[in-house]
Amino acid sequence: NFLGVYLVLGVICWIGLHEAHVHTTLAGVAFGLLAPVTPRRDARYVVSGVKGNWIMQNGLNAKLRDGLRSIAVVPVLTIDKRADAVPLARALVAGGLTALEITLRTPDALQALGDIARHVPGALVGAGTVLTPEQGAAAIAEGARFLVSPGVTQKLIDAAARWDQPLLPGAATASEAMRLLEAGYAFQKFFPAE
């Protein structure tokens, strides 16, 4: 089995591994490379060692992949002022951009995410730049429907196995992507894509 890898240059790069192929969703320029990688879907390769939780996160990850497949662009927002969050999100949703990633890089980010989740119907709001299990739990408590990390740690993978919202982990190397695939993350973010 060969896994087709497409590197996409642009604003956002989502990589979704489906069966034995990699699919990308993005408005951008793509070029293809082939890599001999066989995905393992066997629960014996659970990184956290918790079989049932691995299956749950793996199912959530696939649900996120399916939900984002029809979305061409996911705006990645860094919100400096909480008051700007809802008007900005309403404008984006009205313009057809319904999936929004709020980066957790500012003091107002979590509250802004919560405001959007509560006050912008039709928005699929997620948290980006999730670095710790605590950030992930706080984002879910505020209403995040998905979480994105620039990379992963063992603690983050273990915590995500207990979450009821999907994690989209970041990978920058083939080894990172393979490790995440063995952990059940068939949908990954190629990061950084510069």
Side-chain angles (χ1 to χ4, degrees), residues 38-51 54 154 157 178-185:
T38 303
R40 294 187 183 206
R41 296 197 180 351
D42 192 322
R44 291 177 294 163
Y45 297 96
V46 178
V47 173
S48 67
V50 183
K51 192 178 204 177
W54 173 80
Q154 188 63 49
I157 288 175
M178 291 167 63
R179 180 172 177 263
L180 286 167
L181 190 57
E182 285 184 347
Y185 289 93

Side-chain angles (χ1 to χ4, degrees), residues 96-186:
L97 299 172
T98 57
L100 310 172
E101 178 184 333
I102 311 302
T103 62
L104 301 184
R105 291 187 277 189
T106 66
D108 286 350
L110 277 173
Q111 294 80 14
L113 186 151
D115 291 346
I116 294 168
R118 285 185 295 277
H119 302 295
V120 184
L124 175 68
V125 64
T129 319
V130 176
L131 304 176
T132 67
E134 296 78 18
Q135 283 182 315
I140 291 169
E142 285 290 338
R145 304 268 306 279
F146 64 93
L147 300 107
V148 182
S149 65
V152 291
T153 64
Q154 188 63 49
K155 286 182 181 179
L156 195 58
I157 288 175
D158 290 343
R162 295 184 298 273
W163 294 339
D164 61 353
Q165 298 299 335
L167 172 66
L168 178 62
T173 67
S175 295
E176 290 171 349
M178 291 167 63
R179 180 172 177 263
L180 286 167
L181 190 57
E182 285 184 347
Y185 289 93

Side-chain angles (χ1 to χ4, degrees), residues 8-100:
V8 180
L9 305 174
V11 181
I12 304 165
C13 185
W14 301 100
I15 298 177
L17 297 159
H18 178 65
E19 298 300 328
H21 302 288
V22 173
H23 301 280
T24 59
T25 303
L26 175 69
V29 180
F31 58 95
L33 302 172
L34 289 177
V37 178
T38 303
R40 294 187 183 206
R41 296 197 180 351
D42 192 322
R44 291 177 294 163
Y45 297 96
V46 178
V47 173
S48 67
V50 183
K51 192 178 204 177
N53 288 343
W54 173 80
I55 291 170
M56 184 181 81
Q57 186 56 236
N58 189 35
L60 290 171
N61 187 257
K63 183 179 173 184
L64 178 63
R65 176 202 62 217
D66 294 343
L68 293 178
R69 182 166 280 150
S70 64
I71 297 172
V73 176
V74 177
V76 177
L77 308 173
T78 300
I79 298 177
D80 293 316
K81 296 178 189 172
R82 182 178 178 182
D84 294 340
V86 170
L88 175 60
R90 284 183 176 146
L92 290 168
V93 170
L97 299 172
T98 57
L100 310 172

